[in-house]
Amino acid sequence: MRYALASMLVLAGVAAAGPAAAESLVASLTNHQVMVTSNYTGTELVLFGSVEQDATVAQHGPYDIVATITGPRQSLRTRRKQRVLGIWVNTAARTFIDPPSYLAVLANRPLDAITGADNRRRMQLGITNTPLPEIIHDDIGEVSNDPFRAALVRLMEERGLYSEASNAVTFLTPTLFRAAITLPAQVPIGDYDVDVKLFADGNLIAHTNSAFEIVKVGFEQFVVNAARDHGLLYGFATAMMALLTGWIASVAFRRD
Amino acid sequence: VQIYLPIADIPVNVFLVLAMGLAVGFLSGMFGIGGGFLMTPLLIFIGVPPAVAVASVTTHVAASSFSGAISYWRRKVLDGTLALTLLAGGILGTAGGVALFTWLRTLGQLDLVIGLSYVTFLSVVGVLMVAESVRAINRSWRGKPAELRRPGSHVWWFHGLPLKLRFKRSKIYVSAIPVLAIGFIIGFIGAIMGIGGGFLLVPMLIYLLRVPTATVIGTSMVLIFVTMTAATVLHAATNHLVDAVLALILIVGGVIGAQFGAHAGQRIRGEWLRLLLGLLVLSVGLRFAFELVLQPDDLYSIRLVEGAL
């Protein structure tokens, strides 16, 4: 529902800008597939794009770009410790339903300079405007000024999984831009959405989408499949490997 | 050199993990402990998810204790009968421990129970071992003869128990009941804390059954390698959390370390060995205690929810 509403709003925004739209947006990534191999330590993708102008219509002023990269969703539990009888124990917890496991908001200048607060909220622009629904009693809802939500965002930022950068998008020419997407090593495997919005004078005038996926390949994929699909066999193989290595070592280091 | 761990989903420095394997392997070979209680916190510290760390460490412990057990067996300082009797109790204890583990999980206080049992067992065992070995060292410094081990000088009330067995290699003649009970306790606690239980088994065999220190280590290794091999298979079959790549790096470091540790252990006098193990156990226990008592840097923590709504 949330998404449907959001996309309706975005469509409405585009339609409203429609008649006057002299621009369209083209964007692409250097790579649409990130392969996780044994020497994988995180990577960087480059998003580049250009604003295509229709020469017959009047142009808009200086352009602003906001790119939002959203990783696969997974439920997270934020817990808070409290002192009970002298020891620190997890006492309170909130479960967040399907927050993005990776969220990067890249722009060429601060978001509040690009567009107004209403627009930012409607378009879910920036981390503060990204919905992070949590379970409240038996219900699911949004809580603003929630310390648990703030802690979730802070901890994700510390791990490099959530980021908001107002200098990540660079205009090479007035219409050509690039942005670096930094993926730390612990980003989860899965599909990532890239949403690029073009603003001028505080209004959304065009947007486009792209995507990439992070996949395990080769030996890594083989190990994951074996562990998941043939657990017992994998366990026996691992145990045999352990005992064999132990035996080899005791033979190799025999001194008596 | 960084290498990506397929199950843990993080890259780690190969040499760092190898060094951790070597260090823990050395201690495990020297003291006849599995080293799980040292390795698991180390892995969690470098970023391995706790569940993957616990599961993969069982594989590492299986390998290093197997390697150690072979070299003790070659030196004929291993009591097969004692190991088998302990194992029989250990299997029953593991089953009981897994049942309690499941029940605590439904109560939602598993982490606290694990933390408190680490603190309690490590501190108590550490203090007892340090106190005893310091007394023994004091005695030998004052020039008094070391306490002679009289045949059958185990804890007095074991005498009255039936089912007496002669454990030839350990030179003890004792009822099978306390031996089975010790095995049961080790299996039970091991299943709850996710460890082999060597640090508990070694002092119990030394102080309760009066098994000679040299024999204790080899015997304890047999028990640990059997239970940890079983644990590897069970963890892999049920939780799919054993990271074979991580385990292999740890094993290579661990088995090499264990060999050197076993040689070093043979050269050190028994009471000094017990003092060192006692200090090691006590310091890990205190570390866990500080973690519970001191205010954490961050009151909040996040954790992935398995099978959420």
Short mmCIF file of all heavy atoms in Angstrom, two decimals, chain A residues 36-38 40-41 74-75 77-81 83 87-88 135 147 151 154-155 185 216 227 234-235 242-243 246 249-250 254-255, chain B residues 2-4 6 9 11 63 66-67 70 74 111 236 240 242 244 255 260 292-295 298-305 308-309:
data_model
loop_
_atom_site.label_atom_id
_atom_site.label_comp_id
_atom_site.label_asym_id
_atom_site.label_seq_id
_atom_site.Cartn_x
_atom_site.Cartn_y
_atom_site.Cartn_z
N VAL A 36 30.52 -12.03 -5.79
CA VAL A 36 31.24 -12.23 -4.54
C VAL A 36 32.12 -13.46 -4.69
O VAL A 36 31.62 -14.58 -4.82
CB VAL A 36 30.25 -12.40 -3.37
CG1 VAL A 36 30.99 -12.77 -2.10
CG2 VAL A 36 29.45 -11.14 -3.18
N THR A 37 33.41 -13.25 -4.75
CA THR A 37 34.35 -14.36 -4.86
C THR A 37 35.20 -14.37 -3.59
O THR A 37 34.99 -13.57 -2.69
CB THR A 37 35.27 -14.17 -6.09
OG1 THR A 37 35.86 -12.88 -6.00
CG2 THR A 37 34.47 -14.28 -7.37
N SER A 38 36.16 -15.31 -3.53
CA SER A 38 36.89 -15.47 -2.27
C SER A 38 37.71 -14.25 -1.89
O SER A 38 38.08 -14.09 -0.74
CB SER A 38 37.79 -16.70 -2.34
OG SER A 38 38.63 -16.58 -3.45
N TYR A 40 36.61 -11.12 -2.25
CA TYR A 40 35.68 -9.99 -2.19
C TYR A 40 35.83 -9.24 -0.87
O TYR A 40 35.78 -9.83 0.20
CB TYR A 40 34.26 -10.51 -2.35
CG TYR A 40 33.19 -9.46 -2.21
CD1 TYR A 40 32.91 -8.58 -3.25
CD2 TYR A 40 32.45 -9.36 -1.04
CE1 TYR A 40 31.93 -7.63 -3.13
CE2 TYR A 40 31.46 -8.40 -0.91
CZ TYR A 40 31.20 -7.54 -1.95
OH TYR A 40 30.23 -6.60 -1.83
N THR A 41 36.02 -7.93 -0.95
CA THR A 41 36.11 -7.13 0.28
C THR A 41 35.27 -5.88 0.15
O THR A 41 35.63 -4.81 0.61
CB THR A 41 37.56 -6.70 0.56
OG1 THR A 41 38.05 -6.02 -0.60
CG2 THR A 41 38.44 -7.86 0.87
N GLN A 74 15.09 -7.08 5.06
CA GLN A 74 15.11 -8.15 6.06
C GLN A 74 14.69 -7.56 7.40
O GLN A 74 14.99 -6.42 7.69
CB GLN A 74 16.51 -8.77 6.15
CG GLN A 74 17.61 -7.75 6.19
CD GLN A 74 19.01 -8.35 6.07
OE1 GLN A 74 19.91 -7.90 6.70
NE2 GLN A 74 19.17 -9.36 5.24
N SER A 75 13.97 -8.34 8.17
CA SER A 75 13.49 -7.83 9.45
C SER A 75 14.62 -7.75 10.46
O SER A 75 15.46 -8.63 10.53
CB SER A 75 12.37 -8.71 9.98
OG SER A 75 11.20 -8.45 9.23
N ARG A 77 15.75 -6.59 14.63
CA ARG A 77 15.28 -6.37 15.98
C ARG A 77 16.29 -5.47 16.69
O ARG A 77 17.49 -5.75 16.71
CB ARG A 77 15.19 -7.72 16.68
CG ARG A 77 14.29 -7.74 17.88
CD ARG A 77 13.92 -9.20 18.20
NE ARG A 77 13.39 -9.29 19.54
CZ ARG A 77 12.17 -8.90 19.86
NH1 ARG A 77 11.37 -8.43 18.94
NH2 ARG A 77 11.75 -9.01 21.10
N THR A 78 15.81 -4.34 17.20
CA THR A 78 16.66 -3.44 17.95
C THR A 78 16.39 -3.68 19.43
O THR A 78 15.24 -3.67 19.86
CB THR A 78 16.35 -1.97 17.60
OG1 THR A 78 16.46 -1.82 16.20
CG2 THR A 78 17.33 -1.03 18.27
N ARG A 79 17.45 -3.92 20.19
CA ARG A 79 17.27 -4.21 21.61
C ARG A 79 17.99 -3.17 22.45
O ARG A 79 19.01 -2.63 22.05
CB ARG A 79 17.81 -5.60 21.93
CG ARG A 79 17.15 -6.68 21.10
CD ARG A 79 17.62 -8.03 21.48
NE ARG A 79 19.04 -8.19 21.25
CZ ARG A 79 19.71 -9.29 21.55
NH1 ARG A 79 19.09 -10.30 22.11
NH2 ARG A 79 20.99 -9.37 21.31
N ARG A 80 17.43 -2.91 23.61
CA ARG A 80 18.05 -1.94 24.51
C ARG A 80 18.38 -2.61 25.83
O ARG A 80 17.57 -3.35 26.39
CB ARG A 80 17.11 -0.75 24.76
CG ARG A 80 17.76 0.31 25.66
CD ARG A 80 16.97 1.58 25.71
NE ARG A 80 15.63 1.35 26.18
CZ ARG A 80 14.64 2.23 26.07
NH1 ARG A 80 14.86 3.38 25.45
NH2 ARG A 80 13.45 1.97 26.53
N LYS A 81 19.59 -2.32 26.31
CA LYS A 81 20.02 -2.90 27.59
C LYS A 81 19.65 -1.98 28.74
O LYS A 81 19.58 -0.77 28.59
CB LYS A 81 21.54 -3.10 27.59
CG LYS A 81 21.99 -4.30 26.81
CD LYS A 81 23.45 -4.59 27.13
CE LYS A 81 23.84 -5.99 26.73
NZ LYS A 81 24.02 -6.11 25.30
N ARG A 83 20.06 -1.81 33.31
CA ARG A 83 20.71 -2.44 34.45
C ARG A 83 19.65 -3.08 35.36
O ARG A 83 18.74 -2.41 35.82
CB ARG A 83 21.52 -1.42 35.23
CG ARG A 83 22.36 -2.04 36.31
CD ARG A 83 23.30 -1.03 36.90
NE ARG A 83 24.67 -1.40 36.61
CZ ARG A 83 25.67 -0.55 36.64
NH1 ARG A 83 25.46 0.70 36.88
NH2 ARG A 83 26.89 -0.96 36.40
N ILE A 87 23.49 -6.03 36.75
CA ILE A 87 24.03 -6.48 35.46
C ILE A 87 23.20 -5.93 34.31
O ILE A 87 22.01 -5.63 34.47
CB ILE A 87 24.13 -8.02 35.37
CG1 ILE A 87 22.76 -8.67 35.57
CG2 ILE A 87 25.15 -8.56 36.34
CD1 ILE A 87 22.78 -10.14 35.27
N TRP A 88 23.85 -5.77 33.17
CA TRP A 88 23.18 -5.19 32.01
C TRP A 88 22.48 -6.27 31.21
O TRP A 88 23.11 -7.20 30.73
CB TRP A 88 24.18 -4.41 31.16
CG TRP A 88 24.61 -3.17 31.86
CD1 TRP A 88 25.65 -3.05 32.73
CD2 TRP A 88 23.98 -1.89 31.80
NE1 TRP A 88 25.72 -1.76 33.22
CE2 TRP A 88 24.71 -1.03 32.67
CE3 TRP A 88 22.88 -1.38 31.11
CZ2 TRP A 88 24.37 0.31 32.84
CZ3 TRP A 88 22.55 -0.06 31.28
CH2 TRP A 88 23.28 0.78 32.15
N ILE A 135 6.81 -3.15 14.77
CA ILE A 135 5.67 -3.77 15.44
C ILE A 135 5.42 -3.04 16.76
O ILE A 135 6.31 -2.93 17.60
CB ILE A 135 5.93 -5.26 15.72
CG1 ILE A 135 6.14 -6.01 14.41
CG2 ILE A 135 4.78 -5.88 16.51
CD1 ILE A 135 6.42 -7.48 14.58
N PRO A 147 13.34 6.32 19.89
CA PRO A 147 14.77 6.05 20.13
C PRO A 147 15.24 4.75 19.49
O PRO A 147 16.40 4.62 19.13
CB PRO A 147 14.87 5.97 21.66
CG PRO A 147 13.48 5.78 22.15
CD PRO A 147 12.58 6.42 21.14
N ALA A 151 18.27 4.46 16.93
CA ALA A 151 19.38 3.54 17.20
C ALA A 151 19.62 2.64 15.98
O ALA A 151 20.77 2.38 15.61
CB ALA A 151 19.06 2.68 18.42
N ARG A 154 21.39 4.71 13.38
CA ARG A 154 22.76 5.00 13.82
C ARG A 154 23.66 3.77 13.68
O ARG A 154 24.77 3.85 13.15
CB ARG A 154 22.73 5.48 15.28
CG ARG A 154 24.08 5.81 15.86
CD ARG A 154 23.93 6.48 17.21
NE ARG A 154 23.05 5.76 18.13
CZ ARG A 154 23.40 4.68 18.79
NH1 ARG A 154 24.62 4.21 18.67
NH2 ARG A 154 22.55 4.07 19.60
N LEU A 155 23.15 2.61 14.13
CA LEU A 155 23.96 1.40 14.06
C LEU A 155 24.22 0.98 12.61
O LEU A 155 25.31 0.53 12.27
CB LEU A 155 23.29 0.26 14.83
CG LEU A 155 23.29 0.42 16.35
CD1 LEU A 155 22.33 -0.54 17.01
CD2 LEU A 155 24.70 0.20 16.89
N ALA A 185 31.85 -4.62 2.62
CA ALA A 185 31.92 -6.07 2.45
C ALA A 185 30.72 -6.80 3.04
O ALA A 185 30.32 -7.85 2.55
CB ALA A 185 33.20 -6.58 3.09
N LYS A 216 26.75 -14.56 -5.17
CA LYS A 216 27.93 -15.38 -4.90
C LYS A 216 28.14 -16.27 -6.12
O LYS A 216 27.18 -16.75 -6.72
CB LYS A 216 27.69 -16.25 -3.67
CG LYS A 216 27.76 -15.49 -2.38
CD LYS A 216 27.54 -16.40 -1.19
CE LYS A 216 27.36 -15.58 0.06
NZ LYS A 216 26.91 -16.38 1.19
N ALA A 227 25.78 -26.36 1.96
CA ALA A 227 25.40 -26.20 3.36
C ALA A 227 23.89 -26.13 3.52
O ALA A 227 23.33 -26.64 4.48
CB ALA A 227 26.04 -24.94 3.94
N TYR A 234 27.03 -32.25 4.11
CA TYR A 234 27.99 -31.17 4.30
C TYR A 234 28.64 -31.28 5.68
O TYR A 234 29.85 -31.11 5.82
CB TYR A 234 27.25 -29.84 4.15
CG TYR A 234 28.06 -28.59 4.44
CD1 TYR A 234 28.84 -28.01 3.46
CD2 TYR A 234 28.00 -27.98 5.69
CE1 TYR A 234 29.56 -26.85 3.71
CE2 TYR A 234 28.71 -26.82 5.96
CZ TYR A 234 29.49 -26.26 4.97
OH TYR A 234 30.19 -25.12 5.23
N GLY A 235 27.80 -31.60 6.68
CA GLY A 235 28.31 -31.76 8.04
C GLY A 235 29.31 -32.89 8.13
O GLY A 235 30.38 -32.74 8.73
N ALA A 242 37.91 -32.10 9.11
CA ALA A 242 38.52 -31.72 10.38
C ALA A 242 39.40 -32.86 10.92
O ALA A 242 40.55 -32.65 11.29
CB ALA A 242 37.44 -31.37 11.39
N LEU A 243 38.84 -34.09 10.92
CA LEU A 243 39.58 -35.22 11.48
C LEU A 243 40.79 -35.55 10.63
O LEU A 243 41.87 -35.85 11.15
CB LEU A 243 38.65 -36.44 11.63
CG LEU A 243 37.46 -36.23 12.57
CD1 LEU A 243 36.73 -37.53 12.80
CD2 LEU A 243 37.92 -35.64 13.90
N GLY A 246 43.46 -33.06 11.27
CA GLY A 246 44.02 -33.33 12.59
C GLY A 246 45.00 -34.50 12.53
O GLY A 246 46.10 -34.44 13.10
N ALA A 249 48.22 -33.57 10.63
CA ALA A 249 49.09 -32.75 11.47
C ALA A 249 49.85 -33.61 12.47
O ALA A 249 51.04 -33.43 12.69
CB ALA A 249 48.27 -31.70 12.21
N SER A 250 49.14 -34.60 13.07
CA SER A 250 49.80 -35.40 14.09
C SER A 250 50.87 -36.29 13.46
O SER A 250 51.87 -36.61 14.09
CB SER A 250 48.77 -36.23 14.86
OG SER A 250 48.37 -37.33 14.10
N ARG A 254 55.07 -35.64 14.02
CA ARG A 254 55.48 -36.73 14.89
C ARG A 254 56.97 -36.61 15.18
O ARG A 254 57.78 -36.45 14.28
CB ARG A 254 55.18 -38.05 14.18
CG ARG A 254 55.39 -39.23 15.05
CD ARG A 254 54.88 -40.46 14.39
NE ARG A 254 55.05 -41.57 15.30
CZ ARG A 254 54.53 -42.75 15.07
NH1 ARG A 254 53.85 -42.97 13.98
NH2 ARG A 254 54.71 -43.71 15.94
N ARG A 255 57.31 -36.68 16.44
CA ARG A 255 58.72 -36.53 16.79
C ARG A 255 59.24 -37.73 17.58
O ARG A 255 60.35 -37.70 18.07
CB ARG A 255 58.93 -35.28 17.64
CG ARG A 255 58.77 -34.00 16.86
CD ARG A 255 59.00 -32.84 17.79
NE ARG A 255 58.60 -31.60 17.14
CZ ARG A 255 58.47 -30.46 17.79
NH1 ARG A 255 58.69 -30.42 19.07
NH2 ARG A 255 58.09 -29.37 17.17
N GLN B 2 42.92 -10.85 2.41
CA GLN B 2 41.53 -10.99 2.80
C GLN B 2 40.91 -12.18 2.07
O GLN B 2 41.19 -12.42 0.90
CB GLN B 2 40.75 -9.73 2.43
CG GLN B 2 41.26 -8.47 3.10
CD GLN B 2 40.65 -8.27 4.46
OE1 GLN B 2 39.46 -8.44 4.66
NE2 GLN B 2 41.47 -7.90 5.42
N ILE B 3 40.07 -12.92 2.77
CA ILE B 3 39.33 -13.99 2.12
C ILE B 3 37.88 -13.90 2.56
O ILE B 3 37.59 -13.60 3.72
CB ILE B 3 39.95 -15.38 2.41
CG1 ILE B 3 39.28 -16.45 1.53
CG2 ILE B 3 39.86 -15.75 3.86
CD1 ILE B 3 40.04 -17.75 1.49
N TYR B 4 36.95 -14.14 1.62
CA TYR B 4 35.53 -14.02 1.90
C TYR B 4 34.99 -15.34 2.43
O TYR B 4 35.22 -16.39 1.84
CB TYR B 4 34.79 -13.60 0.63
CG TYR B 4 33.35 -13.22 0.88
CD1 TYR B 4 33.03 -11.92 1.28
CD2 TYR B 4 32.33 -14.14 0.73
CE1 TYR B 4 31.73 -11.56 1.52
CE2 TYR B 4 31.01 -13.78 0.97
CZ TYR B 4 30.72 -12.49 1.37
OH TYR B 4 29.43 -12.14 1.61
N PRO B 6 32.06 -17.79 2.96
CA PRO B 6 30.77 -17.94 2.29
C PRO B 6 29.56 -18.01 3.21
O PRO B 6 28.49 -17.51 2.86
CB PRO B 6 30.92 -19.23 1.48
CG PRO B 6 32.08 -19.93 2.06
CD PRO B 6 32.96 -18.91 2.67
N ASP B 9 29.48 -14.68 5.57
CA ASP B 9 29.18 -13.51 4.73
C ASP B 9 30.03 -12.30 5.05
O ASP B 9 29.57 -11.17 4.93
CB ASP B 9 27.70 -13.11 4.83
CG ASP B 9 26.85 -13.88 3.84
OD1 ASP B 9 27.41 -14.40 2.87
OD2 ASP B 9 25.62 -13.96 4.04
N PRO B 11 34.35 -10.76 4.78
CA PRO B 11 35.75 -11.06 4.48
C PRO B 11 36.58 -10.97 5.75
O PRO B 11 36.31 -10.12 6.60
CB PRO B 11 36.14 -9.96 3.49
CG PRO B 11 35.19 -8.86 3.73
CD PRO B 11 34.01 -9.36 4.50
N ALA B 63 38.92 -30.94 15.22
CA ALA B 63 40.20 -31.21 14.57
C ALA B 63 41.37 -31.12 15.53
O ALA B 63 42.20 -32.03 15.59
CB ALA B 63 40.40 -30.26 13.40
N PHE B 66 41.35 -33.91 18.07
CA PHE B 66 41.68 -35.20 17.46
C PHE B 66 43.18 -35.34 17.29
O PHE B 66 43.78 -36.35 17.65
CB PHE B 66 40.97 -35.34 16.12
CG PHE B 66 41.14 -36.68 15.46
CD1 PHE B 66 40.70 -37.83 16.08
CD2 PHE B 66 41.76 -36.79 14.22
CE1 PHE B 66 40.85 -39.07 15.48
CE2 PHE B 66 41.92 -38.02 13.61
CZ PHE B 66 41.47 -39.16 14.24
N SER B 67 43.77 -34.27 16.75
CA SER B 67 45.22 -34.27 16.56
C SER B 67 45.95 -34.43 17.88
O SER B 67 46.91 -35.22 18.00
CB SER B 67 45.62 -32.97 15.85
OG SER B 67 46.88 -32.55 16.23
N ILE B 70 45.61 -38.05 19.28
CA ILE B 70 46.50 -39.02 18.63
C ILE B 70 47.89 -38.95 19.25
O ILE B 70 48.49 -39.98 19.58
CB ILE B 70 46.58 -38.76 17.11
CG1 ILE B 70 45.23 -39.09 16.45
CG2 ILE B 70 47.67 -39.62 16.47
CD1 ILE B 70 45.17 -38.74 14.99
N ARG B 74 49.85 -41.93 21.33
CA ARG B 74 51.15 -42.47 20.97
C ARG B 74 52.07 -42.52 22.18
O ARG B 74 52.88 -43.41 22.33
CB ARG B 74 51.81 -41.62 19.89
CG ARG B 74 51.26 -41.88 18.53
CD ARG B 74 52.33 -41.72 17.49
NE ARG B 74 51.72 -41.51 16.20
CZ ARG B 74 51.45 -40.32 15.72
NH1 ARG B 74 51.77 -39.25 16.40
NH2 ARG B 74 50.86 -40.20 14.56
N ASP B 111 20.33 -15.76 26.11
CA ASP B 111 21.59 -15.00 26.11
C ASP B 111 22.08 -14.76 27.53
O ASP B 111 23.25 -14.91 27.84
CB ASP B 111 21.41 -13.64 25.42
CG ASP B 111 21.26 -13.80 23.94
OD1 ASP B 111 21.30 -14.97 23.48
OD2 ASP B 111 21.10 -12.80 23.23
N ALA B 236 25.50 -28.54 11.30
CA ALA B 236 25.41 -28.44 9.84
C ALA B 236 24.06 -28.93 9.36
O ALA B 236 23.45 -28.35 8.46
CB ALA B 236 26.53 -29.22 9.18
N HIS B 240 22.51 -25.18 9.43
CA HIS B 240 23.26 -24.79 8.22
C HIS B 240 24.17 -23.61 8.51
O HIS B 240 24.24 -22.65 7.75
CB HIS B 240 22.31 -24.41 7.07
CG HIS B 240 21.21 -25.40 6.88
ND1 HIS B 240 21.44 -26.68 6.46
CD2 HIS B 240 19.88 -25.29 7.07
CE1 HIS B 240 20.28 -27.33 6.40
NE2 HIS B 240 19.32 -26.51 6.77
N VAL B 242 27.57 -23.95 9.72
CA VAL B 242 28.99 -24.26 9.79
C VAL B 242 29.69 -23.69 8.56
O VAL B 242 29.34 -24.03 7.43
CB VAL B 242 29.23 -25.79 9.87
CG1 VAL B 242 30.72 -26.10 9.88
CG2 VAL B 242 28.57 -26.36 11.10
N ALA B 244 32.63 -23.88 6.39
CA ALA B 244 33.74 -24.80 6.16
C ALA B 244 35.04 -24.05 5.89
O ALA B 244 36.12 -24.49 6.29
CB ALA B 244 33.42 -25.74 5.01
N VAL B 255 45.64 -27.13 14.50
CA VAL B 255 46.33 -28.42 14.65
C VAL B 255 47.83 -28.22 14.81
O VAL B 255 48.48 -28.93 15.57
CB VAL B 255 46.04 -29.38 13.47
CG1 VAL B 255 44.61 -29.85 13.52
CG2 VAL B 255 46.38 -28.77 12.15
N PHE B 260 52.52 -28.16 19.03
CA PHE B 260 53.52 -27.47 19.85
C PHE B 260 53.06 -27.39 21.30
O PHE B 260 53.85 -27.55 22.23
CB PHE B 260 53.81 -26.08 19.29
CG PHE B 260 54.61 -26.12 18.02
CD1 PHE B 260 54.04 -25.75 16.82
CD2 PHE B 260 55.93 -26.54 18.04
CE1 PHE B 260 54.78 -25.80 15.64
CE2 PHE B 260 56.67 -26.59 16.87
CZ PHE B 260 56.10 -26.22 15.66
N LEU B 292 29.06 -7.94 31.69
CA LEU B 292 27.72 -7.90 32.26
C LEU B 292 27.53 -6.73 33.21
O LEU B 292 26.45 -6.18 33.33
CB LEU B 292 27.43 -9.21 33.02
CG LEU B 292 27.07 -10.44 32.20
CD1 LEU B 292 26.93 -11.65 33.10
CD2 LEU B 292 25.77 -10.23 31.43
N VAL B 293 28.62 -6.36 33.92
CA VAL B 293 28.49 -5.38 34.99
C VAL B 293 28.71 -3.94 34.51
O VAL B 293 28.01 -3.03 34.92
CB VAL B 293 29.46 -5.72 36.15
CG1 VAL B 293 29.49 -4.61 37.19
CG2 VAL B 293 29.03 -7.03 36.79
N LEU B 294 29.71 -3.75 33.62
CA LEU B 294 30.01 -2.40 33.16
C LEU B 294 28.94 -1.92 32.19
O LEU B 294 28.37 -2.70 31.45
CB LEU B 294 31.37 -2.35 32.47
CG LEU B 294 32.59 -2.62 33.35
CD1 LEU B 294 33.85 -2.47 32.52
CD2 LEU B 294 32.63 -1.68 34.53
N GLN B 295 28.72 -0.59 32.21
CA GLN B 295 27.76 -0.05 31.26
C GLN B 295 28.31 -0.18 29.85
O GLN B 295 29.41 0.27 29.55
CB GLN B 295 27.50 1.43 31.57
CG GLN B 295 26.62 2.08 30.52
CD GLN B 295 25.95 3.32 31.01
OE1 GLN B 295 26.24 3.83 32.07
NE2 GLN B 295 25.03 3.83 30.22
N ASP B 298 27.31 1.05 23.94
CA ASP B 298 26.07 1.31 23.22
C ASP B 298 24.98 0.46 23.85
O ASP B 298 25.10 -0.76 23.92
CB ASP B 298 26.24 0.94 21.74
CG ASP B 298 25.19 1.60 20.89
OD1 ASP B 298 24.07 1.83 21.41
OD2 ASP B 298 25.47 1.89 19.72
N LEU B 299 23.94 1.12 24.35
CA LEU B 299 22.87 0.37 25.00
C LEU B 299 22.04 -0.40 23.98
O LEU B 299 21.34 -1.34 24.32
CB LEU B 299 21.97 1.32 25.79
CG LEU B 299 22.60 1.94 27.02
CD1 LEU B 299 21.61 2.86 27.72
CD2 LEU B 299 23.08 0.87 28.00
N TYR B 300 22.12 0.04 22.73
CA TYR B 300 21.28 -0.59 21.71
C TYR B 300 22.09 -1.59 20.88
O TYR B 300 23.29 -1.43 20.70
CB TYR B 300 20.72 0.47 20.77
CG TYR B 300 19.69 1.36 21.41
CD1 TYR B 300 20.07 2.53 22.04
CD2 TYR B 300 18.34 1.01 21.38
CE1 TYR B 300 19.13 3.35 22.65
CE2 TYR B 300 17.39 1.82 21.98
CZ TYR B 300 17.79 3.00 22.62
OH TYR B 300 16.85 3.78 23.20
N SER B 301 21.42 -2.60 20.40
CA SER B 301 22.06 -3.53 19.48
C SER B 301 21.00 -3.98 18.49
O SER B 301 19.81 -3.99 18.80
CB SER B 301 22.63 -4.72 20.23
OG SER B 301 21.61 -5.39 20.93
N ILE B 302 21.45 -4.33 17.28
CA ILE B 302 20.47 -4.84 16.31
C ILE B 302 20.83 -6.25 15.93
O ILE B 302 21.99 -6.64 15.94
CB ILE B 302 20.36 -3.96 15.03
CG1 ILE B 302 21.72 -3.59 14.47
CG2 ILE B 302 19.51 -2.74 15.28
CD1 ILE B 302 21.65 -2.81 13.19
N ARG B 303 19.81 -6.99 15.60
CA ARG B 303 20.01 -8.39 15.26
C ARG B 303 18.98 -8.77 14.20
O ARG B 303 17.85 -8.30 14.22
CB ARG B 303 19.81 -9.23 16.52
CG ARG B 303 19.84 -10.69 16.29
CD ARG B 303 19.53 -11.41 17.56
NE ARG B 303 20.74 -11.57 18.36
CZ ARG B 303 20.85 -12.48 19.33
NH1 ARG B 303 19.85 -13.24 19.64
NH2 ARG B 303 21.96 -12.60 20.00
N LEU B 304 19.44 -9.60 13.27
CA LEU B 304 18.55 -10.08 12.21
C LEU B 304 17.48 -10.98 12.81
O LEU B 304 17.76 -11.79 13.67
CB LEU B 304 19.40 -10.87 11.22
CG LEU B 304 18.97 -10.88 9.76
CD1 LEU B 304 18.99 -9.46 9.23
CD2 LEU B 304 19.90 -11.76 8.97
N VAL B 305 16.24 -10.81 12.36
CA VAL B 305 15.17 -11.66 12.84
C VAL B 305 15.02 -12.82 11.87
O VAL B 305 14.83 -12.62 10.67
CB VAL B 305 13.84 -10.88 12.93
CG1 VAL B 305 12.72 -11.78 13.44
CG2 VAL B 305 14.00 -9.68 13.82
N ALA B 308 10.86 -13.80 10.23
CA ALA B 308 9.95 -12.81 10.80
C ALA B 308 8.55 -12.97 10.19
O ALA B 308 8.35 -13.78 9.30
CB ALA B 308 10.48 -11.42 10.52
N LEU B 309 7.64 -12.15 10.69
CA LEU B 309 6.23 -12.23 10.27
C LEU B 309 6.03 -12.39 8.77
O LEU B 309 6.57 -11.62 8.01
CB LEU B 309 5.51 -10.93 10.70
CG LEU B 309 5.40 -10.69 12.19
CD1 LEU B 309 4.69 -9.39 12.44
CD2 LEU B 309 4.66 -11.84 12.86
#
